[in-house]
Amino acid sequence: MGEEEGDEVLHDVPVKPVAAPVQYPEPFLAELLESSRLIRVREARQLFNVDGEGTAVAVLGTGLRTTHSDFGGRVAAQRNFTTDRGGDPGDAGDGHGHGTHVAGIVCAGGVHVGMAPGARIVPLKVLGDDGRGRFEDVARALQWVIDHREAHAISAVCLALGDGGNHRSDAGFADDAIGRRVRALSRLGTVCCIAGGEDYYVHGSAQGMAYPAILRDCVSVGAVYDADEGGFRYACGAEAFGTGPDRIAPFAQRLHEKVGGACATDIFAPGAPMVSSGILGDCGESVQHGTSQATPVVAGIVLLLQSLHRRSTGRLPPVADVRRWLLRGAVPLEDGDDEQDNVLHTGLTFSRVDALASLQACAKDVARRALGRAA
């Protein structure tokens, strides 16, 4: 039974508008090549013979171009929580591009190849075609996931959105409408991956994360570069004079456990620049930078972990196990060792996801527990 519509959302500021991807009508790069190499996701899929089949991800954003060849036959359901499309709840079409781009990173399986190309997708449109939205709609969408997760096998949620704030604790948020739903999903075994925020420069290089990534029950995600792509200047004022693998993007908000404790940034992933699905055609392509792009990378790896565990045990793993495998397999990431940008650095060590090592950690745990039961 869902909570009543209109349930109080304590953090009631609008969702910060998301930046539109640069769109191309036809693809020029068929796979997320540099990102896949850095985090060894192709090797992970091949070694363990998993692609996310049997799982589904709910992507909360601007919707989805459901006819795109990257998602053919794998759209499990869709729902519109905005006034776009005449408020038709059954039409989660994407007139902006951000949602389709994010979804492609998670599970494209056509022209482009995402992290978990066998997984199904459930687009939940909580942001309009102008990229704006309300947290009230985010809460409604999360409740929809709670109510329909079993029917559609939703085991992960991807939220590439935030309030633009810079919080160090979830005090005041953990028991609001979104916090309660994220916690409920976590208890049900559904992993909520949330973007840490794009405003590190805006907030004067102070540690912190946006809401709702600050919630301790989610997996919060920061962004790194995956290769030497030259320099980038961002609208927020952040600038990378040079880039390279595992350099933290200057826009990426970050919160170390020494400062944020249980609310710290859980993991970093490639997020700039990312090539993925676009809305200008059924083979369209787009390019974007952000923790919004790093978050679906992690969500896709979560689906691979869940798929491997379910095949081995017949059930989904607890969220605590998924988080442990992500961190056990992660690569240490020093903030400030080789970054070339215009922000200050913490000098602290964070974690960057590695798909192969995380799946190996999962497999070892499954094997050890099986031996324990046999004994």
Side-chain angles (χ1 to χ4, degrees), residues 8-356:
E8 183 183 11
V9 179
L10 298 181
H11 202 65
D12 58 358
V13 300
V15 179
K16 185 181 178 184
V18 296
V22 178
Q23 303 282 348
Y24 302 92
E26 297 294 337
F28 61 83
L29 183 61
E31 190 169 359
L32 302 160
L33 295 173
E34 291 89 354
S35 299
S36 295
R37 279 196 291 263
L38 182 66
I39 64 174
R40 303 195 293 174
V41 69
R42 294 170 67 188
E43 293 95 323
R45 290 197 302 260
Q46 292 168 0
L47 180 62
F48 291 98
N49 191 29
V50 292
D51 63 2
E53 185 177 359
T55 65
V57 59
V59 177
L60 279 64
T62 62
L64 181 75
R65 185 180 178 99
T66 58
T67 60
H68 199 293
S69 61
D70 284 342
F71 312 106
R74 292 185 294 116
V75 181
Q78 59 180 300
R79 191 78 176 178
N80 177 20
F81 295 89
T82 75
T83 58
D84 287 0
R85 311 298 190 276
D88 180 358
D91 185 355
D94 184 7
H96 181 278
H98 188 267
T100 299
H101 186 269
V102 168
I105 296 172
V106 184
C107 62
V111 176
H112 305 89
V113 178
M115 303 298 117
R120 303 184 77 193
I121 184 167
V122 179
L124 301 180
K125 187 175 177 65
V126 297
L127 303 177
D129 290 343
D130 61 359
R132 298 175 180 271
R134 304 180 304 164
F135 280 113
E136 178 182 354
D137 295 331
V138 174
R140 291 169 58 210
L142 290 172
Q143 186 61 48
W144 188 95
V145 174
I146 292 171
D147 295 340
H148 297 87
R149 54 178 290 278
E150 289 188 356
H152 302 300
I154 300 170
S155 56
V157 179
C158 182
L159 295 96
L161 49 81
D163 70 342
N166 196 51
H167 313 283
R168 292 190 174 193
S169 167
D170 62 1
F173 302 135
D175 289 321
D176 72 5
I178 291 176
R180 290 197 304 275
R181 287 163 172 83
V182 169
R183 185 163 59 252
L185 285 165
S186 181
R187 288 171 178 167
L188 291 168
T190 299
V191 181
C192 294
C193 301
I194 308 182
E198 328 286 12
D199 292 320
Y200 188 62
Y201 176 88
V202 172
H203 293 294
S205 302
Q207 289 194 58
M209 283 192 297
Y211 167 91
I214 195 63
L215 296 169
R216 69 186 66 199
D217 294 295
C218 77
V219 173
S220 53
V221 185
V224 299
Y225 293 105
D226 55 25
D228 181 357
E229 301 280 358
F232 296 99
R233 181 177 297 172
Y234 298 96
C236 64
E239 185 172 1
F241 307 120
T243 56
D246 282 339
R247 293 182 184 178
I248 298 178
F251 55 76
Q253 287 171 251
R254 62 209 72 170
L255 179 62
H256 197 272
E257 63 182 357
K258 289 183 177 180
V259 178
C263 298
T265 308
D266 289 300
I267 202 151
F268 282 70
M274 298 291 280
V275 178
S276 184
S277 316
I279 61 170
L280 294 187
D282 287 345
C283 293
E285 185 166 271
S286 57
V287 181
Q288 179 73 322
H289 300 237
T291 60
S292 287
Q293 282 56 52
T295 302
V297 170
V298 174
I301 295 168
V302 165
L303 295 173
L304 296 180
L305 287 166
Q306 292 171 329
S307 184
L308 175 61
H309 189 274
R310 174 174 275 170
R311 187 182 68 198
S312 303
T313 68
R315 57 183 175 81
L316 281 177
V319 170
D321 282 354
V322 174
R323 187 193 302 270
R324 186 173 67 254
W325 296 327
L326 288 172
L327 293 176
R328 188 182 297 171
V331 174
L333 183 71
E334 185 178 341
D335 178 19
D337 60 341
D338 61 355
E339 282 76 13
Q340 299 175 15
D341 50 38
N342 65 344
V343 296
L344 301 178
H345 297 276
T346 65
L348 298 170
T349 300
F350 293 87
S351 297
R352 190 263 293 159
V353 72
D354 183 290
L356 179 58

